[in-house]
Amino acid sequence: MSNATLPSLPSADRPDVAARLRDALLGASFTADGLLELLGAPAYAALARSETVPALRATRGDTPLEALVRLFLLQQPVPHARVADVLPVEECLASGWLVRPGGAAGSDLAATVDVRPYGGPGGEDWFIVSDLGCAVGGAGGIGDQGRPADTAVVLGVGGASTTLAGITVRTPVAAALDLGTGSGIQALHATRHATRVTATDLNPRALQFTALTLALSGVPSADLRQGSLFEPVKEEERYDLIVSNPPFVISPGARLTYRDGGMSGDDLCRSLVQGAGERLSEGGFAQFLANWQHVEGEDWQDRLRSWVPRGCDAWIVQREVQDVTQYAELWLRDAGDHRADPAEYQARYDAWLEEFEARKVKGVGFGWITLRRTGAAEPSVTVEEWPHSVEQPLGDTIRAHFARVDYLREHDDAALLAAHFKLAAEVVQEQVGLPGAEDPEHVVLRQHRGMRRATKVDTVGAGFAGVCDGTLSAGRILDAIAQLMGEDPVVLRDRTPAQIRLLVEQGFLEPAG
């Protein structure tokens, strides 16, 4: 479907108007904090679910902020006089941010795009620009927005967008690449710590939105390139950071640009991961959200290990698995297909199940994939399932994981026993057993930060972790434990490094210094 079915966008070549509009929005407290204060937590949270009624009820007054919320977030026409009190109306009309829905003589004004205030990690007041009805992420039934459902709409900020932004490693870099930029949220974040930002998208409309997002947020512009996956990237170009929230949905056909990549099964995600290795600088990170198939008779972890390109360490975390019926229903509802003709909905649902059955797919996993370019002879590949709650942002946690991978790769068991360790911050010990029992059935170490892991340890492991304060070497601590327990210290030194290695790998213990 041609983009002609979608409204025209504001001009991306008028930075002066974007700057004036930004100043006006900030002057009226049209910010993330301002919205929360105006709407209240319940209505603000409802917006994130694409529910607008509570916000409509909360903006029945006549303040400038209420007018802006109705105009840019709730798609309501607002009287010209009210808008003129807040915004540079004539410039916004001339450059396409606003229109007169009733024609030249109309007394009301309407926005051509959604503008969502978004708080940056350093307290920045940013704005995400997207298609009307899409400011708060999820398509919310795009077929009901007064246009066909199979158009190349550009969504705003959704849960996947903020998840990827939160897990991204934020060290200063020379060059960052945002593949499939959409409305530009990942590129926006990258401008904080990358000297040069490149953003690509198959949808030219998305590149326009990214330019608007960056301009209205008051950050440097990016190098915007149209094309699929790595097509716009020159052969000799290398990046220190690659991020992508791709159209990862596994569906029978590429009907919706925002979610369907046009490749069979999970081939798009596989191609993205496999192609990233040769585009990374040494030590560079590539981070993706992805879906993958759980195929009958196949280990899903082996499937993902096969995606990892040569010369890269990898940490892959499966956060959720849905059976094929749940998965089909989720994305049919996301596109508003459940509101269509019942027979049409049933036919589309059946097509999803038919394709999954043909490929022997029993479920679909969702999670994070992080690669790091390494010169190590034997790269480290960790694939795990962790559906439990975590503490975002996780960028530092992910960077620390790979630092520990390097440390463990460089230290054999003898070096490990000679090293000094400290218990990580906010790790607690729990003893689990029946009430009144003399000894616990097992001991658990639990993190309250980052991944919030929990791991069982034996008596030696619990005792070892408990006295790790960086003073004594691991070997000296084990010798003392052996003496207390009446064990052979040589035997204890021989069998314990594997447990120490696991505690270091998972972040319970940190090398001292």
Side-chain angles (χ1 to χ4, degrees):
M1 179 71 67
S2 167
N3 285 354
T5 58
L6 292 167
S8 298
L9 297 183
S11 171
D13 299 325
R14 292 294 305 274
D16 56 325
V17 177
R20 288 199 63 194
L21 176 56
R22 172 179 171 78
D23 289 343
L25 296 177
L26 294 178
S29 297
F30 188 64
T31 63
D33 289 341
L35 283 188
L36 182 59
E37 183 176 349
L38 170 68
L39 302 179
Y44 189 75
L47 272 181
R49 302 190 299 270
S50 298
E51 296 290 351
T52 58
V53 172
L56 285 167
R57 291 177 59 83
T59 55
R60 292 178 290 190
D62 58 3
T63 67
L65 180 55
E66 288 169 297
L68 293 177
V69 172
R70 283 185 163 255
L71 189 67
F72 286 117
L73 283 177
L74 303 179
Q75 299 177 68
Q76 300 295 305
V78 178
H80 183 287
R82 287 191 65 190
V83 181
D85 286 341
V86 192
L87 303 180
V89 167
E90 295 309 316
E91 290 94 331
C92 288
L93 284 169
S95 58
W97 289 95
L98 300 175
V99 292
R100 293 185 173 93
S107 61
D108 287 344
L109 296 176
T112 57
V113 292
D114 272 342
V115 177
R116 177 185 176 179
Y118 179 78
E124 301 91 347
D125 288 315
W126 289 339
F127 299 96
I128 309 296
V129 188
S130 63
D131 265 312
L132 290 172
C134 300
V136 290
I142 61 174
D144 288 348
Q145 304 295 337
R147 57 184 176 248
D150 52 350
T151 51
V153 295
V154 177
L155 302 187
V157 180
S161 304
T162 55
T163 293
L164 179 58
I167 68 172
T168 300
V169 175
R170 297 295 177 192
T171 51
V173 295
L177 172 64
D178 176 17
L179 282 176
T181 187
S183 56
I185 179 174
Q186 310 306 329
L188 180 58
H189 276 274
T191 61
R192 295 186 75 243
H193 62 104
T195 303
R196 176 170 58 89
V197 177
T198 301
T200 72
D201 206 290
L202 179 62
N203 181 3
R205 189 176 179 83
L207 298 178
Q208 291 178 270
F209 272 116
T210 294
L212 295 172
T213 288
L214 299 181
L216 196 59
S217 296
V219 303
S221 60
D223 178 5
L224 305 178
R225 305 180 190 178
Q226 185 183 354
S228 177
L229 299 180
F230 292 102
E231 285 177 4
V233 177
K234 299 173 184 176
E235 186 175 342
E236 70 277 6
E237 286 182 309
R238 297 294 179 269
Y239 294 89
D240 309 294
L241 175 67
I242 299 173
V243 293
S244 183
N245 175 22
F248 51 64
V249 178
I250 300 170
S251 67
R255 192 166 62 91
L256 298 171
T257 303
Y258 78 89
R259 74 174 194 198
D260 305 314
M263 296 187 187
S264 176
D266 51 18
D267 284 353
L268 182 138
C269 291
R270 176 184 55 79
S271 299
L272 187 61
V273 174
Q274 290 181 336
E278 61 187 6
R279 273 86 177 186
L280 282 175
S281 304
E282 187 67 25
F285 287 91
Q287 298 186 264
F288 315 105
L289 300 187
N291 277 183
W292 44 80
Q293 298 174 150
H294 283 233
V295 180
E296 184 178 349
E298 177 181 289
D299 186 320
W300 69 270
Q301 293 181 323
D302 289 342
R303 181 183 193 85
L304 291 174
R305 287 189 184 95
S306 73
W307 290 8
V308 178
R310 294 182 61 184
C312 287
D313 292 327
W315 185 16
I316 301 173
V317 181
Q318 179 168 274
R319 296 288 290 155
E320 181 182 4
V321 182
Q322 290 187 323
D323 67 50
V324 292
T325 58
Q326 290 175 305
Y327 189 78
E329 290 162 13
L330 168 67
W331 292 107
L332 287 168
R333 284 187 170 88
D334 187 79
D337 290 333
H338 60 303
R339 301 190 184 109
D341 176 78
E344 186 177 354
Y345 172 78
Q346 184 175 347
R348 286 176 175 166
Y349 194 157
D350 188 64
W352 284 63
L353 299 186
E354 186 73 23
E355 183 143 329
F356 281 135
E357 183 177 345
R359 293 201 296 266
K360 299 183 178 179
V361 176
K362 299 301 181 185
V364 177
F366 169 82
W368 319 323
I369 298 177
T370 300
L371 307 177
R372 185 190 59 167
R373 189 76 188 175
T374 179
E378 295 185 16
S380 166
V381 177
T382 300
V383 183
E384 63 175 319
E385 186 165 16
W386 189 252
H388 311 293
S389 65
V390 299
E391 183 190 43
Q392 284 273 39
L394 278 170
D396 286 345
T397 298
I398 290 176
R399 179 185 52 77
H401 166 86
F402 288 94
R404 294 193 297 270
V405 165
D406 286 340
Y407 178 88
L408 293 172
R409 192 155 42 200
E410 295 164 2
H411 288 71
D412 60 17
D413 286 354
L416 211 61
L417 291 174
H420 296 238
F421 298 96
K422 294 189 299 184
L423 190 65
E426 297 193 41
V427 172
V428 298
Q429 176 180 304
E430 300 173 358
Q431 296 187 2
V432 182
L434 294 173
E438 184 175 346
D439 297 312
E441 292 180 19
H442 56 262
V443 177
V444 174
L445 297 180
R446 187 179 301 278
Q447 301 169 349
H448 284 275
R449 303 297 300 272
M451 291 293 286
R452 293 176 174 164
R453 293 188 185 277
T455 188
K456 290 182 183 179
V457 290
D458 60 17
T459 305
V460 172
F464 181 87
V467 298
C468 276
D469 61 2
T471 304
L472 299 175
S473 69
R476 291 280 301 279
I477 293 174
L478 290 179
D479 291 343
I481 292 174
Q483 186 174 7
L484 286 172
M485 298 179 63
E487 289 200 29
D488 184 338
V490 176
V491 173
L492 198 60
R493 278 175 170 257
D494 187 56
R495 68 178 173 86
T496 307
Q499 188 172 189
I500 297 174
R501 199 170 286 276
L502 180 63
L503 292 175
V504 173
E505 179 184 341
Q506 295 189 341
F508 289 94
L509 295 178
E510 299 172 346

